[in-house]
């Protein structure tokens, strides 16, 4: 099969690389030439600067210039293609609706080239981007408006989780394909031949609209489950004496019908998808007069959860951030990625600065560079107060309080470092419950404030 991938971000690059592993001829195109040049080097660091996914560089090195190609010329590569995968960004508008500007620009560009192709064999244009339910028709109309012949549209939503994207692309839970006709299903069956009759991987064929809806419902269910634990489970632990949140979680999730995934309370879920997808679904359902109260509650719980420990530090621990130096560990939205999109750290740092913090000492093992772009002082002069460090230790030294905002493994063993570098009553705000031996710190008069528990240790005045 000859496959073209449009957009080489987290979704497109991983899809292109893993499809090339299966022996398809894959040509990846992006309008960001610097990205393509970096990927074509095959160098781990160059690739990770743009898309940081474990194992991705070795797949690219293995297949580049044999099955995998990068091109800046879409016109030159489109001839003879069987399927084009649309992996474009679909960020949220301010009202939560999906911004299709990038998607439409790419679709129009593609349609003009497809209309002029010489080889009129059947081609399927496949949405991997998360796009509103009904977008396959929108794509069909763009193709029709350019007079493209013998082309089908399909929806094949992506379910990858960043940090494990390569492993998941090789062995997904399911592959969902929505097409209008057998001819197009057949093309997708050849693309995904290794999954079609797989005993454990569900290969689901359905309508394009159903496939689009599956993506939104799946992400919304996941966020709602996370929000349930943060908005209900964690609050029980924070407000009712003698409730142990870990035991509560274990006791509840021992029921095999109740998932362990998502039950670990936290300072909210970030990333490029959860927030924007639920906001988009709310927007889509409002347009067809469906009540969205439940989805709104999930969204709101998650948004406030990102920052509420800062408020609790003031109201429950009596801490004043004015003129204080605060360490923030974990800048990306989770471990194993440098992706800052919708990371909880953004709200945390904005809130700390808004409450008068004199300095933020920041550290993330992978995301310091992308955080510098996110916290660009030309956007907000207060971001000048952020200093970046190469180790957690350097970031903690000399600060008045600590906020742990992501689940990087290295943050688990920090209690000794804290004892070494910070004198009590140092305040530890633990958004991920990363300090299992917090009782030792309390004995030494540190103040420990975690999601799902009452404030422990001395209260500040
Ligand atoms: P991304 O921003 O990492 O990558 C998008 C790429 O498209 C960029 O490299 C950009 O340069 C390129 N691009 C923009 N306009 C273009 C154009 N006109 N022509 C060619 N290339 C263009 O985005 P992503 O995280 O890969 O997400 C892509 C889509 O997949 C989104 O709809 C997203 O919601 C969905 N998705 C993302 C994830 C995830 O975890 N990142 C998971 C599932 C689904």
């Amino acid at each position: 099969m000859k496959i073209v991938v449009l957009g080489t971000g987290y979704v497109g690059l991983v899809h292109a690389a893993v499809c090339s592993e299966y022996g398809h001829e894959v040509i990846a195109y992006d309008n960001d030439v610097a990205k393509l040049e970096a990927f074509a080097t095959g160098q781990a660091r160059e690739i990770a600067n743009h898309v940081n996914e474990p194992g991705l560089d070795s797949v690219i090195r293995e297949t580049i210039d044999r099955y995998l190609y990068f091109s800046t010329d879409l016109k030159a590569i489109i001839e003879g293609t069987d399927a084009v995968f649309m992996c474009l960004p679909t960020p949220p508008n301010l009202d939560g609706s999906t911004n299709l500007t990038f998607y439409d620009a790419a679709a129009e560009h593609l349609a003009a080239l497809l209309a002029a192709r010489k080889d009129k064999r059947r081609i399927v244009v496949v949405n991997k981007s998360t796009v509103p339910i009904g977008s396959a028709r929108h794509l069909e109309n763009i193709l029709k408006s350019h007079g493209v012949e013998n082309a089908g549209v399909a929806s094949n939503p992506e379910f990858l989780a960043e940090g494990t994207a390569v492993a998941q692309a090789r062995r997904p839970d399911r592959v969902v394909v929505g097409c209008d006709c057998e001819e197009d299903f057949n093309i997708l069956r050849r693309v995904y031949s290794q999954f079609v009759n797989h005993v454990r991987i569900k290969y689901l064929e359905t309508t394009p609209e159903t496939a689009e809806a599956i993506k939104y419902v799946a992400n919304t269910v996941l966020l709602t489950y996370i929000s349930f634990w943060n908005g209900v489970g964690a609050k029980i632990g924070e407000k009712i004496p003698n409730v142990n949140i870990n035991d509560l979680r274990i006791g509840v999730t021992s029921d095999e019908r109740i998932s362990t995934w998502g039950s670990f309370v936290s300072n909210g879920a970030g990333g490029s998808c959860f927030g924007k997808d639920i906001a988009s679904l709310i927007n889509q359902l409002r347009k067809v007069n469906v009540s969205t109260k439940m989805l709104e509650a999930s969204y709101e719980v998650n948004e406030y959860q990102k920052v509420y420990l800062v408020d609790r530090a003031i109201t429950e621990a009596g801490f004043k951030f004015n003129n204080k130096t605060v360490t923030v560990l974990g800048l990306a939205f989770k471990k194993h990625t440098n992706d800052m999109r919708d990371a909880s750290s953004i709200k945390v740092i904005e809130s700390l600065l808004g409450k008068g913090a004199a300095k933020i000492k920041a550290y993330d093992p992978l995301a310091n560079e992308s955080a510098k772009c996110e916290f660009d002082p030309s956007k907000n002069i207060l971001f000048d107060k952020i200093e970046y460090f190469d180790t957690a230790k350097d970031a903690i030294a000399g600060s008045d309080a600590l906020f742990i905002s992501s689940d990087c493994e290295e943050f688990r063993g920090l209690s000794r470092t804290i004892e070494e570098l910070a004198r009590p009553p140092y305040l530890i705000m633990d958004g991920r419950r990363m300090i299992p031996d917090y009782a030792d710190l309390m004995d030494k008069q540190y103040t420990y404030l975690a999601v799902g528990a009452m404030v422990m240790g001395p209260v500040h005045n």
Side-chain angles (χ1 to χ4, degrees):
M1 303 291 283
K2 182 178 172 188
I3 293 170
V4 165
V5 173
L6 279 195
T8 56
Y10 282 83
V11 168
L13 186 62
V14 172
H15 183 63
V18 172
C19 280
S20 74
E21 249 188 338
Y22 295 127
H24 298 307
E25 181 189 0
V26 183
I27 305 157
Y29 167 84
D30 201 291
N31 61 359
D32 184 336
V33 176
K35 270 192 177 184
L36 295 179
E37 285 172 356
F39 301 149
T41 66
Q43 297 301 311
R45 185 176 293 199
E46 293 283 332
I47 296 167
N49 276 341
H50 300 281
V51 178
N52 194 321
E53 279 298 327
L56 183 58
D57 57 303
S58 57
V59 183
I60 292 176
R61 273 196 303 280
E62 187 68 27
T63 58
I64 194 161
D65 294 335
R66 295 195 302 131
Y67 297 101
L68 177 63
Y69 302 86
F70 294 100
S71 173
T72 53
D73 185 356
L74 190 55
K75 187 174 182 209
I77 61 179
I78 210 68
E79 208 65 41
T81 296
D82 298 289
V84 179
F85 285 86
M86 306 287 282
C87 305
L88 289 313
T90 50
N93 289 315
L94 282 178
D95 65 355
S97 62
T98 302
N99 179 342
L100 289 173
T101 314
F102 302 100
Y103 178 88
D104 282 352
E108 294 281 351
H109 181 198
L110 174 70
L113 297 177
L114 287 179
R117 74 194 162 133
K118 294 189 192 77
D119 181 348
K120 302 286 188 207
R121 81 173 70 172
R122 185 75 178 175
I123 186 168
V124 190
V125 184
V126 189
N127 279 336
K128 250 200 177 311
S129 288
T130 306
V131 280
I133 304 164
S135 291
R137 298 297 149 230
H138 172 68
L139 175 60
E140 195 172 50
N141 288 337
I142 293 177
L143 297 178
K144 274 188 190 150
S145 72
H146 284 266
V148 178
E149 292 171 55
N150 204 18
V153 295
S155 169
N156 169 221
E158 179 57 65
F159 298 96
L160 69 80
E162 286 180 28
T164 52
V166 173
Q168 285 184 325
R170 285 173 172 157
R171 208 177 181 294
D173 297 325
R174 76 298 220 183
V175 176
V176 174
V177 174
C179 294
D180 292 315
C181 64
E182 193 57 19
E183 202 177 2
D184 296 344
F185 278 125
N186 265 330
I187 292 176
L188 271 301
R189 280 177 207 139
R190 285 171 60 208
V191 171
Y192 289 120
S193 56
Q194 71 276 25
F195 301 134
V196 173
N197 289 312
H198 201 286
V199 281
R200 272 182 285 277
I201 295 166
K202 181 78 195 160
Y203 190 83
L204 178 66
E205 293 184 340
T206 183
T207 65
E209 286 78 1
T210 312
E212 290 159 349
I214 287 170
K215 174 65 192 174
Y216 281 104
V217 175
N219 265 5
T220 304
V221 167
L222 293 174
L223 184 65
T224 300
Y225 188 64
I226 292 171
S227 286
F228 181 86
W229 275 100
N230 284 332
V232 180
K235 299 297 170 276
I236 292 173
E238 288 159 15
K239 296 291 177 195
I240 301 176
N242 228 10
V243 173
N244 179 310
I245 185 72
N246 275 333
D247 293 345
L248 177 70
R249 182 180 60 74
I250 292 165
V252 171
T253 59
S254 298
D255 182 330
E256 64 180 21
R257 295 169 302 175
I258 302 178
S259 161
T260 306
W261 183 94
S263 67
F264 293 85
V265 296
S266 71
N267 60 324
S272 67
C273 292
F274 280 149
K276 90 168 167 64
D277 290 352
I278 197 168
S280 175
L281 188 58
I282 291 170
N283 187 278
Q284 292 174 56
L285 291 179
R286 276 186 190 150
K287 286 184 183 151
V288 289
N289 296 322
V290 172
S291 165
T292 55
K293 275 187 189 155
M294 193 177 144
L295 301 184
E296 284 165 40
S298 294
Y299 178 82
E300 280 161 19
V301 165
N302 189 55
E303 286 309 297
Y304 183 54
Q305 193 72 10
K306 291 173 183 170
V307 79
Y308 88 123
L309 276 185
V310 175
D311 289 347
R312 285 185 66 202
I314 297 167
T315 56
E316 295 175 32
F319 194 84
K320 294 182 183 62
F321 287 100
N322 208 23
N323 268 330
K324 297 284 177 18
T325 296
V326 185
T327 300
V328 178
L329 299 182
L331 304 172
F333 80 93
K334 66 175 184 181
K335 65 182 173 186
H336 297 158
T337 184
N338 61 350
D339 195 340
M340 289 293 299
R341 286 179 286 185
D342 206 17
S344 298
S345 71
I346 299 173
K347 284 207 158 173
V348 170
I349 289 178
E350 284 175 353
S351 172
L352 292 168
L353 291 171
K355 290 184 167 38
K359 188 172 173 182
I360 304 293
K361 300 186 80 183
Y363 166 71
D364 187 289
L366 295 173
N368 275 2
E369 290 308 313
S370 32
K372 284 176 196 170
C373 299
E374 179 65 42
F375 298 113
D376 177 355
S378 72
K379 285 194 273 178
N380 181 342
I381 191 72
L382 291 178
F383 294 156
D384 253 340
K385 298 181 178 187
I386 308 173
E387 197 178 343
Y388 299 87
F389 293 85
D390 292 334
T391 65
K393 220 172 167 175
D394 290 343
I396 289 171
S399 68
D400 302 297
L402 163 66
F403 197 115
I404 301 176
S405 185
S406 86
D407 55 348
C408 299
E409 293 305 334
E410 66 177 279
F411 303 154
R412 265 189 216 290
L414 274 181
S415 39
R416 295 290 84 78
T417 309
I418 294 167
E419 279 184 45
E420 205 182 297
L421 296 169
R423 253 185 284 141
Y426 188 75
L427 170 69
I428 303 152
M429 292 162 281
D430 190 348
R432 296 284 168 151
R433 300 188 66 92
M434 296 300 280
I435 313 247
D437 50 353
Y438 60 85
D440 291 353
L441 288 170
M442 278 163 52
D443 287 348
K444 289 169 186 145
Q445 297 300 300
Y446 289 87
T447 307
Y448 183 67
L449 179 61
V451 180
M454 291 177 162
V455 63
M456 292 178 247
V459 167
H460 297 241
N461 294 309

